[in-house]
C-alpha cells in the first residue's frame, strides 16, 4: 500500500514549512519532506511585516537592528538609522527554520527526512513522489498535489517546470563567527552593507549581527569569483579576522522570479525554487514565506475545485503585489552595482533623508510608499543627477 497525501511539500525552509503549516491548518493531509543538516547562507533579516503576518515569536529574534551603515568603495560610511521605535529582526536560520517545521508538524503535517528523487505517475495519473530515505532506500508516496520548495537548484522545478532553468543566480557565501566583546567599530544593533568591487564585482558584502555571533558574507554572479577570499578580506577589514568561525555555508540565490511556477496539473513552486529573492538586496525570508502561503492557497483551490488553473494564482497574486518592486530593484542592481564609480554615487545617494525614509518604510512594510508624491519626485531628480554624474560623490 502506498500512502496518499493531499499535498507533499518538498523542502523544509521558510517557504515549504509555511506552505505545510497553512495546508495542515486547513485540514489537509500533508507530508513535509526535508533534507537533514542543511542551513542556507543567509543574513537572517526579517522585517516587521513578516513578524506580523506569520506570527513570529520574540524568542526567535536574536538581534534587533536599529540602523544600517552603507560603505562605499572609497571607505566612506553613510549611516541609515531607522526612525522611531522600529527595528529589523535577525534570526538564526538553523533554529528559525526548525521552529517553522515544528509548527507545521504541530498543525498536523507529517515530517520525513529524505532527498527528493523524482515525480512519477501511477495508473490513474496521480503523482507519485519518490525520495531517498537516510538509509539509502527509496520510498514512494502518492500526492494529489506537490509544492516544490527545495531551493534555487530545485529538482522539482527542473523536472516539472523546466522553464525555470534559465534564471540567473548569485553564488552567496558567508561565515558565522563568534564576535568578541572588544571589537572596535562593531555595533550589534547595526547592519553593515559594503559596496566594493574588491569584495563583490556585481553584488555587495555584509556584516549582519546575530546576537553574540555575526554573519559575514558576500556574493556574485561572475564566473571565477572567489567568495572565501573576499570574506577573509572583509573579516580582516572589520577586525574579525581572528574571531572563532562557527560554520561556513554557500548556496546559489535566484535573482528573478520565474516566468512560471506551476506545471498546469498538480505541482506549484515556492520560495527560492520560484525565484522569489529580491534583486539588489538578496532578501528572501519574507518573500519565501509569502510564496509558501500563496502556494498553499493555490493548492487548496486545486483540491477544492479540481481546477488546475488555480495553481497559477500563486504567481499571479505575488507579481501583482510585488512585481513592480522586484522590477525596480532589478534595474537598480543592474545600474548601480556595475562599477565602483556607480557604487560610490549610490552610497552618496543613500545619505539623502528622503531616500532613507522611503527605503525603510518600503522595506519594513513590503510595499511601495505612495502617500508622499513630493518625496518621490525629489528622489527621482536626485537619482537622475547621480546617474548623469551631476552630483558629486
Amino acid at each position: 500500500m502506498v500512502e496518499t497525501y493531499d499535498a507533499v511539500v518538498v523542502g523544509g525552509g521558510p517557504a515549504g514549512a509555511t506552505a505545510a503549516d497553512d495546508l495542515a491548518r486547513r485540514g489537509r493531509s500533508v507530508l513535509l519532506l526535508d533534507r537533514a543538516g542543511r542551513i542556507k547562507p543567509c543574513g537572517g533579516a526579517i522585517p516587521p511585516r513578516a513578524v506580523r503576518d506569520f506570527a513570529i515569536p520574540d524568542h526567535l529574534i536574536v538581534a534587533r537592528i536599529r540602523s544600517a551603515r552603507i560603505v562605499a568603495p572609497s571607505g566612506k560610511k553613510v549611516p541609515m538609522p531607522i526612525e522611531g521605535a522600529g527595528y529589523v529582526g535577525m534570526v538564526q536560520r538553523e533554529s528559525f527554520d526548525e521552529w517553522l517545521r515544528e509548527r507545521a508538524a504541530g498543525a498536523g503535517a507529517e515530517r520525513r527526512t529524505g532527498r527528493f528523487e523524482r515525480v512519477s505517475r501511477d495508473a490513474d495519473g496521480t503523482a507519485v513522489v519518490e525520495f531517498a530515505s537516510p538509509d539509502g532506500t527509496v520510498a514512494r508516496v502518492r500526492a494529489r498535489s506537490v509544492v516544490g520548495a527545495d531551493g534555487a537548484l530545485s529538482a522539482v522545478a527542473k523536472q516539472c517546470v523546466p522553464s525555470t532553468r534559465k534564471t540567473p543566480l548569485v553564488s552567496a557565501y558567508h561565515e558565522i563567527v563568534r564576535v568578541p566583546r572588544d571589537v572596535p567599530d562593531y555595533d550589534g544593533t547595526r547592519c553593515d552593507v559594503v559596496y566594493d568591487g574588491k569584495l563583490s564585482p556585481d553584488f555587495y558584502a555584509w556584516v549582519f549581527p546575530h546576537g553574540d555571533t555575526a554573519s559575514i558574507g558576500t556574493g556574485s554572479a561572475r564566473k571565477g569569483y572567489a567568495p572565501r577570499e573576499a570574506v577573509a578580506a572583509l573579516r580582516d577589514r572589520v577586525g574579525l579576522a581572528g574571531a572563532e568561525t562557527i560554520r561556513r555555508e554557500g548556496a546559489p540565490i535566484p535573482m528573478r522570479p520565474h516566468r512560471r511556477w506551476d506545471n498546469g496539473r498538480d505541482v506549484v513552486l515556492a520560495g527560492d525554487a520560484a525565484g522569489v529573492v529580491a534583486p539588489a538586496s538578496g532578501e528572501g525570508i519574507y518573500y519565501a514565506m509569502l510564496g509558501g502561503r500563496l502556494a498553499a492557497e493555490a493548492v487548496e483551490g486545486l483540491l477544492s475545485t479540481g481546477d488546475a488553473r488555480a495553481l497559477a494564482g500563486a504567481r499571479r497574486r505575488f507579481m501583482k503585489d510585488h512585481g513592480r518592486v522586484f522590477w525596480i530593484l532589478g534595474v537598480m542592481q543592474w545600474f548601480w552595482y556595475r562599477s565602483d564609480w556607480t557604487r560610490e554615487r549610490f552610497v552618496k545617494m543613500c545619505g539623502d533623508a528622503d531616500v532613507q525614509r522611503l527605503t525603510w518604510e518600503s522595506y519594513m512594510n513590503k510595499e511601495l510608499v505612495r502617500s508622499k508624491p513630493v518625496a518621490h519626485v525629489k528622489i527621482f531628480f536626485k537619482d537622475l543627477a547621480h546617474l548623469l554624474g551631476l552630483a558629486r560623490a
Side-chain angles (χ1 to χ4, degrees), residues 204-246:
Y204 66 84
W206 68 83
V207 180
F208 287 177
H210 288 174
D212 60 353
T213 66
S215 163
I216 305 177
T218 186
S220 174
R222 300 276 181 89
K223 292 183 178 180
Y225 172 69
R228 287 177 179 261
E229 287 81 351
V231 169
L234 179 58
R235 289 182 61 170
D236 184 63
R237 184 183 298 187
V238 300
L240 291 170
E244 175 191 357
T245 302
I246 298 174

Side-chain angles (χ1 to χ4, degrees), residues 2-3 31 33 112-118 120 128-142:
V2 178
E3 298 167 277
L31 172 64
L33 176 67
R112 290 198 196 178
T113 300
R115 185 185 70 252
F116 171 83
E117 295 287 338
R118 68 190 185 106
S120 58
V128 177
V129 177
E130 303 182 16
F131 59 95
S133 298
D135 62 3
T137 60
V138 175
R140 296 174 178 83
V141 295
R142 299 172 80 243

Side-chain angles (χ1 to χ4, degrees), residues 237-278:
R237 184 183 298 187
V238 300
L240 291 170
E244 175 191 357
T245 302
I246 298 174
R247 65 178 189 271
R248 299 177 174 88
E249 295 151 354
I253 298 175
M255 284 290 104
R256 186 171 64 213
H258 300 322
R259 293 185 179 277
R260 183 169 185 137
W261 293 4
D262 69 282
N263 69 343
R265 184 174 184 176
D266 52 10
V267 176
V268 63
L269 306 178
D272 283 13
V276 290
V277 175

